[in-house]
């Protein structure tokens, strides 16, 4: 067998970059199990904390992340054709009940109940903070609907990280739009987005920190925020279950994890 016949070629198919949404840092390897369901490929760990899968034999796969302290992650992924750049998937790890919040971490824990007082499992919560101290940036240029997936911003109080959710909210507070940072580009003030901007937004529009969470079997949901925040944090939330929607405004404290009163959906 000559040298050419002994050479094996491997290729990177997928890189997964998990981060702790409460700290903004990569978690310890011992706290995670990262795999592709039904595919016998163990990932390599890169120097930046990413999990790299080589030679994945399928164009479609399901990413699975299991952990004793984070909520389970399952995400369907379509891999590019041969020759295309492998995707880098940033995953925001949500805390589970066994998670120990960081020192001086800001957040809220809420118990959701249905009209019969039973735990409401599987409800989706989207929440954001609306305060000048919480502003993470302002649009540096006007934007109109469907205008690409990059956003140029002027700095705010703190910096959004890849995987972070945010809302754009206009001056009078009547319009808002959700999005998520996928990465920062080669320009330090320009970030790549999860989806195109849909609304029309003027220069100076605020970017506010946001989180998404799902209630567990006990109806509990944890809403973590990080960075510079006000002493009193008003959390604006929308709760969704099937085709129903409810809105709530909760109050938390900067630097503390607040256990909110139980919230029964459909009751003002």
């Amino acid at each position: 067998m000559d040298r050419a016949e002994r050479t094996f070629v491997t290729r990177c198919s997928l890189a997964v970059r998990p981060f702790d949404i409460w700290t903004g840092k990569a978690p310890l390897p011992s706290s995670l199990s990262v795999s592709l369901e039904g595919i016998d490929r163990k990932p390599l760990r890169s120097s930046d904390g990413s999990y790299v899968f080589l030679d994945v034999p399928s164009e479609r796969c399901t990413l699975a992340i299991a952990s004793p302290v984070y909520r389970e992650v399952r995400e369907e992924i379509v891999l590019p054709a041969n020759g295309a750049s492998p995707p880098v998937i940033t995953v925001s790890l949500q805390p589970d009940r066994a998670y120990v919040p960081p020192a001086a971490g800001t957040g809220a824990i809420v118990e959701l109940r249905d009209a019969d007082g039973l735990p409401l499992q599987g409800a989706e919560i989207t929440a954001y903070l609306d305060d000048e101290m919480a502003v993470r940036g302002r649009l540096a240029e006007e934007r109109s609907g469907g205008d690409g997936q990059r956003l140029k911003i002027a700095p705010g109080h703190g910096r959004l990280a890849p995987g972070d959710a945010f809302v754009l909210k206009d001056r009078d507070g009547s319009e808002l739009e959700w999005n998520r940072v996928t990465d920062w580009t080669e320009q330090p003030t320009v970030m790549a987005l999860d989806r195109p901007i849909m609304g029309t937004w003027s220069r100076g529009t605020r970017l506010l920190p946001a989180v998404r969470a799902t209630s567990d079997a006990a109806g509990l949901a944890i809403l973590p925020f990080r960075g510079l925040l006000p002493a009193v944090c008003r959390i604006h939330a929308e709760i969704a279950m099937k085709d129903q929607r409810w809105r709530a405004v909760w109050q938390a404290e900067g630097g503390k994890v607040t256990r909110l009163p139980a919230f029964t959906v459909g009751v003002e």
Side-chain angles (χ1 to χ4, degrees):
M1 181 181 292
D2 61 27
R3 183 176 180 181
E5 292 175 311
R6 294 196 302 270
T7 300
F8 296 91
V9 177
T10 61
R11 63 181 177 86
C12 174
S13 299
L14 170 68
V16 179
R17 185 168 56 193
F19 85 106
D20 183 316
I21 194 173
W22 221 331
T23 66
K25 300 177 181 179
L28 295 174
S30 58
S31 65
L32 296 179
S33 172
V34 182
S35 63
L36 299 178
E37 289 188 351
I39 297 176
D40 186 19
R41 291 285 189 278
K42 291 186 177 181
L44 304 177
R45 192 108 191 286
S46 67
S47 59
D48 68 353
S50 297
Y51 293 78
V52 179
F53 290 90
L54 304 176
D55 298 325
V56 176
S58 175
E59 293 183 357
R60 292 178 177 271
C61 57
T62 300
L63 171 67
I65 300 179
S67 170
V69 293
Y70 298 107
R71 299 293 298 271
E72 179 186 24
V73 173
R74 294 185 76 259
E75 183 175 342
E76 301 295 326
I77 298 171
V78 178
L79 300 178
N82 290 339
S85 298
V88 178
I89 307 298
T90 301
V91 180
S92 307
L93 296 173
Q94 305 286 334
D96 207 347
R97 278 187 286 172
Y99 180 97
V100 178
T106 300
I109 302 173
V110 61
E111 178 186 348
L112 302 180
R113 298 175 181 171
D114 64 17
D116 296 320
L118 299 175
L120 188 65
Q121 180 180 6
E124 300 287 339
I125 301 178
T126 53
Y128 68 94
L129 301 180
D130 189 356
D131 189 280
E132 285 301 309
M133 189 177 289
V135 172
R136 295 299 181 246
R138 299 177 186 272
L139 291 189
E141 57 191 2
E142 292 187 358
R143 294 299 300 268
S144 57
D147 185 19
Q149 288 180 238
R150 292 193 170 196
L151 205 61
K152 185 176 183 179
I153 67 169
H157 300 290
R159 180 180 171 88
L160 293 166
D164 279 346
F166 66 90
V167 297
L168 292 167
K169 192 168 186 182
D170 62 12
R171 289 186 177 89
D172 65 10
S174 61
E175 297 291 338
L176 61 84
E177 180 176 336
W178 289 81
N179 214 310
R180 189 175 71 95
V181 183
T182 57
D183 210 345
W184 286 92
T185 67
E186 64 281 357
Q187 302 177 52
T189 59
V190 177
M191 56 190 186
L193 305 178
D194 186 52
R195 61 183 69 87
I197 293 294
M198 301 306 296
T200 299
W201 303 97
S202 61
R203 182 177 179 178
T205 296
R206 301 176 303 161
L207 281 71
L208 299 168
V211 296
R212 295 179 183 272
T214 304
S215 59
D216 64 15
L220 289 178
I222 302 173
L223 307 175
F225 293 93
R226 71 172 186 278
L228 184 62
L229 295 168
V232 177
C233 301
R234 288 175 64 83
I235 300 174
H236 298 257
E238 180 178 89
I239 303 159
M241 188 72 177
K242 297 180 180 178
D243 59 347
Q244 294 182 292
R245 299 285 188 276
W246 302 274
R247 295 185 184 275
V249 178
W250 297 314
Q251 185 164 299
E253 297 180 58
K256 295 182 179 180
V257 179
T258 303
R259 182 67 179 255
L260 300 171
F263 183 82
T264 301
V265 298
V267 176
E268 298 295 333

